[in-house]
């Protein structure tokens, strides 16, 4: 069965956006969270235009190559400008968990309004034998609460943003993680964890 993973760039103080993210403003003023996508000399084999460091490229491509579908919350969807039909992954369809209807129908996007369990099941069906990648703190927190997350990958960028959207929202109890791999690279440290059940 496919796994449910989350892999996001995050500041040392735990933010996945800069201050003041929103529709028309993108992910706020925290764009330096993504500089490592373009600061290297090694082209990604998955994402056109990404030029990663020699250390980041194999780690990033190995994780991106596992993704068969992405699942995002509505804030991430709106902030990222995907309403025109875009998706966060070049080949994987996007499932959006939202209480509001889709702005338009698109063949690479599916909206689910009935909760995280149904959204993950829809994403698993779309992913086939590949993994489901969660996008956004709200979706990740809901999936952790439901016991549905297998792995968490932090692309930790050495910056303190002091504000923005947090990676994790408040959880009702502890979630234990086991470190599988740590890859220090220029401008980012890749931390790959397994959720302990």
């Amino acid at each position: 069965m496919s796994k449910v993973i989350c892999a996001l760039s995050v500041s040392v103080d735990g933010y996945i956006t800069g201050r003041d993210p929103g529709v028309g403003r993108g992910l706020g003023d925290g764009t330096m969270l993504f500089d490592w996508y373009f600061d290297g000399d090694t082209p990604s084999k998955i994402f056109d235009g990404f030029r990663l460091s020699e250390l980041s490229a194999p780690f990033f491509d190995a994780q991106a190559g596992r993704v068969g579908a992405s699942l995002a919350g509505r804030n991430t969807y709106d902030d990222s400008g995907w309403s025109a039909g875009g998706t966060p992954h070049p080949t994987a369809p996007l499932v959006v968990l939202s209480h509001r209807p889709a702005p338009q129908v698109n063949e690479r996007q599916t909206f689910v309004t009935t909760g995280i369990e149904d959204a993950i099941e829809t994403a698993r069906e779309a992913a086939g034998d590949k993994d489901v990648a969660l996008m956004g703190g709200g979706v990740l927190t809901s999936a952790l609460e439901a016991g549905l997350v297998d792995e968490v990958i932090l692309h930790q960028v050495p910056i303190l943003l002091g504000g923005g959207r947090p990676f994790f929202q408040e959880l009702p109890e502890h979630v234990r993680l086991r470190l599988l791999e740590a890859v220090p690279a220029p401008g980012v440290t890749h931390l790959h964890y397994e959720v302990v059940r």
Side-chain angles (χ1 to χ4, degrees):
M1 178 182 271
S2 66
K3 291 187 175 182
V4 176
I5 65 173
C6 186
L8 295 176
S9 290
V10 60
S11 66
V12 171
D13 55 348
Y15 293 101
I16 56 174
T17 73
R19 295 173 192 265
D20 200 28
V23 178
R25 295 184 305 277
L27 297 177
D29 62 3
T31 55
M32 68 284 299
L33 287 174
F34 313 103
D35 288 351
W36 65 274
Y37 291 163
F38 311 105
D39 282 352
D41 297 322
T42 307
S44 169
K45 295 177 182 174
I46 309 289
F47 281 74
D48 287 341
F50 281 30
R51 297 190 65 80
L52 306 149
S53 74
E54 187 177 350
L55 294 170
S56 288
F59 182 90
F60 177 82
D61 282 347
Q63 305 310 321
R66 299 170 54 182
V67 176
S70 299
L71 169 58
R74 187 60 184 263
N75 285 336
T76 300
Y77 175 84
D78 288 339
D79 293 351
S80 299
W82 295 324
S83 62
T87 62
H89 192 281
T91 59
L94 174 64
V95 175
V96 181
L97 179 59
S98 177
H99 298 293
R100 293 175 277 147
Q104 62 188 22
V105 176
N106 181 285
E107 64 184 39
R108 289 198 62 210
Q109 298 177 349
T110 302
F111 274 64
V112 175
T113 60
T114 51
I116 190 67
E117 290 88 353
D118 289 342
I120 286 179
E121 184 57 35
T122 299
R124 279 189 194 276
E125 290 172 10
D129 61 353
K130 290 195 162 191
D131 295 336
V132 172
L134 304 177
M135 309 270 312
V139 162
L140 174 60
T141 300
S142 295
L144 283 168
E145 287 176 351
L148 297 172
V149 180
D150 298 298
E151 297 175 17
V152 175
I153 300 162
L154 306 175
H155 302 295
Q156 191 176 61
V157 177
I159 188 167
L160 300 170
L161 290 177
R165 286 213 176 103
F167 195 146
F168 300 98
Q169 297 177 4
E170 186 173 334
L171 290 165
E173 59 186 36
H174 290 85
V175 175
R176 295 197 183 277
L177 305 174
R178 183 173 67 87
L179 184 65
L180 300 176
E181 186 177 12
V183 178
V188 63
T189 300
H190 308 286
L191 301 167
H192 184 185
Y193 296 95
E194 176 182 59
V195 177
V196 177
R197 292 195 171 89

